[in-house]
């Protein structure tokens, strides 16, 4: 492939980057041989200006010329094509040259500086640091809500393609459970602590955890900091598992929002796989399927997890291990979707980018009608006739500081036979996305009130806020670093 690249002069950004390293290696070998620029030019029958152009990375030589240069310098062609810079100074020069040839630097309208051997290292390092900061700010500015929604849509498509089942993460979870000797049943808090200890982390409960975090991991000192006050709506084991799951998965700091979302999905998946081990969960669900009594409440109680965690875990295993297509929704009391997944052809509302987060759910769907049910303790079941067919759902309300949410799991009509609650008499019809279904008021009410009302919208602050920026979106890095400095071992 290297020979094919060199066969013709190439002017792409990537070729320019390769030419920079090649040029610096030619210069380094020439100086090592004690040759002047003119001497090398004479040896290969070229003008000194042509050799200078090659050494400065402004041109890639053809293969015949490259062989001539290698022969004159008494090295091999492979020596010249090695992708590593010949020394630290050359690496710095190459980095600055690449930065100056990039689109971000060009957009600044600044005249590029000449990167010669007389320019001090400190000057090059300063230029490079400034460019990297400008590039970081540019990336943050580009991290628009549209980018986030597009990343969500792409991530959901990849999850659907694999039926939301990650075999590699299941293996990691099984190995970790085996290491700590878990033999079945709910995973205790003590077992979670033993997992953390096995990975070299000690747990520290503090009262001043940064407000934008659920936990903070000090990788330098092997500490996981957790809040002393536990949320009544959250499993106390989950923050610990999520904290060391990223280390177990060897996550690097995310470079963009899509990578941040992917890492979060993997972390949450591994956490659920540790709390509801695949072998035990599949055995439990298979038995329930055989008796035609699959229930999210039963799965929740068997493994002592939250309803939402049980529902999430069911979507991991339903299709891959039980042969049941499924959909999942978490919907805010305002009617907007927070999370969703499907591989059963149910039609979620979406925007022009294919994203569904933040879009309103049909008022007739179970995820909305459950908010009108007085009984918040019993599971709620409903059939919904849609343009895509009839779907059955089970749904429950869960509370959080942001308000009430419905968590729903549903399947196509032909698969409802495996579930408890299939005999429900609750039924609704949804014609969405037709506006006449639930988005357009009845004509009589429209005629009476259109133009005669002026509601003051209670706009969610998140609707107007910019997408949180930073390596970990929404986290105040200064606050975190101050916290770590206060708590580091003395």
């Amino acid at each position: 492939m290297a020979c094919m690249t060199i066969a013709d002069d190439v002017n792409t950004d990537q070729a320019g980057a390769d030419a920079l390293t090649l040029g610096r290696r030619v210069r380094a070998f020439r100086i090592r041989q004690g040759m002047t620029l003119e001497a090398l030019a004479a040896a290969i029958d070229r003008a000194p200006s042509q050799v200078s152009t090659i050494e400065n990375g402004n041109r890639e030589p053809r293969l015949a010329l490259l062989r001539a240069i290698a022969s004159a310098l008494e090295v091999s062609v492979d020596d010249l094509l090695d992708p590593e810079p010949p020394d630290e100074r050359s690496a710095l020069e190459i980095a600055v040259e690449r930065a100056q040839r990039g689109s971000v630097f060009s957009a600044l309208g600044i005249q590029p500086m000449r990167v010669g051997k007389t320019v001090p290292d400190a000057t090059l390092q300063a230029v490079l640091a400034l460019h990297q900061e400008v590039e970081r700010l540019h990336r943050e500015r580009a991290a628009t809500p549209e980018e986030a929604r597009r990343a969500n849509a792409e991530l959901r498509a990849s999850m659907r393609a694999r039926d939301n089942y990650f075999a590699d993460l299941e293996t990691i979870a099984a190995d970790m459970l085996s290491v700590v000797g878990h033999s079945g049943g709910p995973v205790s808090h003590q077992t979670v602590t033993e997992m953390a200890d096995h990975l070299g982390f000690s747990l520290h409960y503090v009262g001043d955890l940064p407000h934008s975090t659920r936990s903070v991991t000090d990788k330098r000192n092997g500490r996981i900091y957790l809040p002393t006050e536990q949320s009544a709506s959250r499993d106390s084991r989950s923050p610990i598992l999520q904290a060391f799951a990223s280390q177990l998965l060897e996550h690097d700091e995310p470079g963009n929002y899509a990578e941040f979302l992917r890492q979060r999905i993997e972390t949450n998946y591994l956490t659920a796989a540790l709390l509801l081990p695949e072998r035990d969960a599949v055995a439990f669900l298979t038995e329930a399927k055989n008796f035609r009594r699959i229930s999210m409440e039963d799965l929740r109680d068997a493994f002592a997890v939250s309803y939402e965690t049980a529902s999430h875990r069911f979507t991991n295993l339903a299709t891959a291990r039980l042969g049941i297509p499924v959909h999942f929704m978490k919907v805010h009391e305002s009617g907007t979707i927070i999370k969703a997944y499907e591989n059963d052809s149910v039609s979620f509302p979406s925007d022009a980018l294919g994203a569904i987060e933040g879009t309103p759910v049909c008022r007739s769907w179970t995820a909305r009608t459950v908010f009108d049910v007085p009984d918040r303790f019993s599971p709620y079941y409903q059939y919904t006739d849609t343009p895509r067919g009839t779907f059955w759902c089970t749904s429950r309300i869960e509370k959080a500081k942001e308000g009430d949410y419905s968590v729903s799991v549903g399947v196509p009509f032909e698969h409802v036979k495996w579930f408890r609650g299939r005999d429900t008499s609750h039924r609704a019809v949804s014609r969405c996305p037709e506006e006449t279904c639930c988005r357009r008021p009845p004509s009589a009410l429209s005629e009476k009130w259109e133009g005669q009302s002026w509601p003051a919208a209670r706009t969610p602050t998140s609707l107007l806020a910019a997408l949180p920026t930073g390596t970990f979106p929404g986290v105040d890095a200064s606050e975190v670093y101050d916290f770590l400095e206060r708590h580091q071992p003395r």
Side-chain angles (χ1 to χ4, degrees):
M1 292 297 292
C3 291
M4 291 176 63
T5 302
I6 296 167
D8 295 292
D9 292 328
V10 186
N11 294 319
T12 63
D13 289 342
Q14 185 58 48
D18 294 338
L20 283 169
T21 304
L22 172 62
R24 289 309 192 281
R25 295 190 68 82
V26 169
R27 178 183 296 169
F29 283 120
R30 175 176 62 78
I31 294 173
R32 187 180 303 174
Q33 288 291 101
M35 296 180 69
T36 64
L37 191 71
E38 291 73 14
L40 176 58
I44 61 174
D45 195 24
R46 291 291 189 279
S49 59
Q50 289 181 281
V51 177
S52 178
T53 300
I54 292 171
E55 290 191 354
N56 290 329
N58 294 322
R59 178 192 170 209
E60 283 194 51
R62 296 176 183 272
L63 183 56
L65 180 56
L66 187 68
R67 286 172 175 163
I69 293 172
S71 177
L73 297 176
E74 299 180 6
V75 296
S76 68
V77 171
D78 287 340
D79 288 331
L80 296 181
L81 293 176
D82 191 317
E84 291 297 319
D87 50 58
E88 291 186 8
R89 168 69 187 198
S90 296
L92 182 58
E93 291 180 359
I94 291 170
V96 173
E97 287 280 15
R98 287 178 179 173
Q100 293 189 135
R101 297 181 186 190
S103 58
V104 173
F105 193 95
S106 298
L108 297 174
I110 301 174
Q111 185 68 25
M113 65 178 289
R114 184 178 181 279
V115 184
K117 61 181 180 180
T118 59
V119 180
D121 286 5
T123 301
L124 295 180
Q125 290 166 350
V127 171
L128 185 60
L130 287 171
H131 174 268
Q132 290 171 341
E133 179 62 15
V134 171
E135 195 170 39
R136 182 187 69 81
L137 293 173
H138 181 77
R139 286 198 306 268
E140 286 190 356
R141 188 169 57 188
T144 61
E146 288 76 15
E147 179 194 358
R149 296 174 73 78
R150 187 179 290 108
N152 263 318
E154 293 173 354
L155 184 59
R156 192 172 62 257
S158 69
M159 293 165 65
R160 186 190 305 116
R162 61 198 306 169
D163 292 325
N164 202 23
Y165 179 80
F166 294 70
D168 52 338
L169 301 186
E170 298 288 355
T171 299
I172 292 173
D175 290 344
M176 175 55 65
L177 290 163
S178 175
V179 165
V180 296
H182 178 70
S183 58
V187 175
S188 67
H189 200 287
Q190 178 59 38
T191 300
V192 172
T193 303
E194 290 172 1
M195 292 182 196
D197 183 64
H198 173 75
L199 293 171
F201 290 103
S202 58
L203 307 182
H204 300 264
Y205 293 87
V206 296
D208 61 341
L209 198 70
H211 76 283
S212 59
T213 65
R214 295 180 183 175
S215 68
V216 174
T217 301
D218 178 352
K219 298 167 65 175
R220 173 178 296 172
N221 298 295
R223 292 181 160 203
I224 295 176
Y225 294 100
L226 301 151
T228 51
E229 294 185 6
Q230 297 294 328
S231 170
S233 63
R234 297 190 185 280
D235 188 325
S236 62
R237 298 165 296 173
S238 293
I240 306 172
L241 292 171
Q242 290 170 342
F244 69 65
S246 291
Q247 312 305 316
L248 194 59
L249 293 168
E250 299 181 348
H251 284 160
D252 294 323
E253 290 189 356
N256 52 53
Y257 198 76
E259 189 175 350
F260 168 76
L261 289 179
R262 178 187 60 77
Q263 290 183 1
R264 189 172 66 172
I265 289 291
E266 292 175 352
T267 297
N268 290 339
Y269 189 109
L270 184 58
T271 297
L274 289 167
L275 290 173
L276 294 90
E278 180 179 22
R279 182 190 62 188
D280 300 337
V282 169
F284 179 87
L285 290 170
T286 299
E287 181 182 18
K289 181 183 179 184
N290 291 337
F291 284 96
R292 301 188 177 217
R293 63 182 190 199
I294 296 177
S295 163
M296 298 305 107
E297 284 79 11
D298 289 351
L299 184 61
R300 172 198 64 189
D301 296 342
F303 291 91
V305 295
S306 69
Y307 184 87
E308 183 176 347
T309 298
S311 300
H312 267 302
R313 188 62 173 142
F314 181 72
T315 68
N316 301 149
L317 305 172
T319 306
R321 302 305 304 272
L322 303 174
I324 301 174
V326 66
H327 68 265
F328 165 90
M329 276 190 293
K330 182 176 181 180
V331 174
H332 187 255
E333 60 185 340
S334 63
T336 56
I337 295 177
I338 305 301
K339 302 178 188 175
Y341 164 78
E342 59 81 20
N343 68 353
D344 62 356
S345 298
V346 71
S347 181
F348 289 137
S350 65
D351 62 13
L353 298 174
I356 62 175
E357 291 74 18
T359 56
V361 175
C362 177
R363 294 176 182 274
S364 298
W365 283 20
T366 314
R368 292 288 298 275
T369 59
V370 67
F371 286 105
D372 299 325
V373 177
D375 183 3
R376 294 289 177 95
F377 298 99
S378 303
Y380 179 71
Y381 311 111
Q382 177 183 300
Y383 289 96
T384 307
D385 299 323
T386 78
R388 290 282 187 92
T390 299
F391 295 86
W392 172 92
C393 281
T394 175
S395 189
R396 178 175 285 279
I397 301 295
E398 293 208 324
K399 292 184 175 294
K401 64 180 181 180
E402 300 87 358
D404 288 351
Y405 294 89
S406 67
V407 177
S408 307
V409 173
V411 296
F413 180 80
E414 57 267 31
H415 289 276
V416 71
K417 59 187 176 183
W418 310 118
F419 291 81
R420 179 181 294 164
R422 59 186 176 275
D423 55 351
T424 182
S425 60
H426 299 130
R427 194 161 195 134
V429 176
S430 169
R431 297 189 308 279
C432 281
E434 289 184 20
E435 288 192 359
T436 56
C437 177
C438 65
R439 304 185 187 215
R440 184 185 300 171
S443 56
L445 290 178
S446 293
E447 292 174 5
K448 180 177 180 179
W449 292 108
E450 189 172 6
Q452 302 300 318
S453 65
W454 190 272
R458 188 171 68 180
T459 307
T461 55
S462 59
L463 183 64
L464 300 178
L467 185 70
T469 59
T471 302
F472 300 95
V475 173
D476 186 332
S478 295
E479 188 180 21
V480 171
Y481 295 160
D482 287 342
F483 169 84
L484 290 172
E485 188 67 20
R486 291 196 307 271
H487 286 273
Q488 69 171 332
R490 300 298 180 184

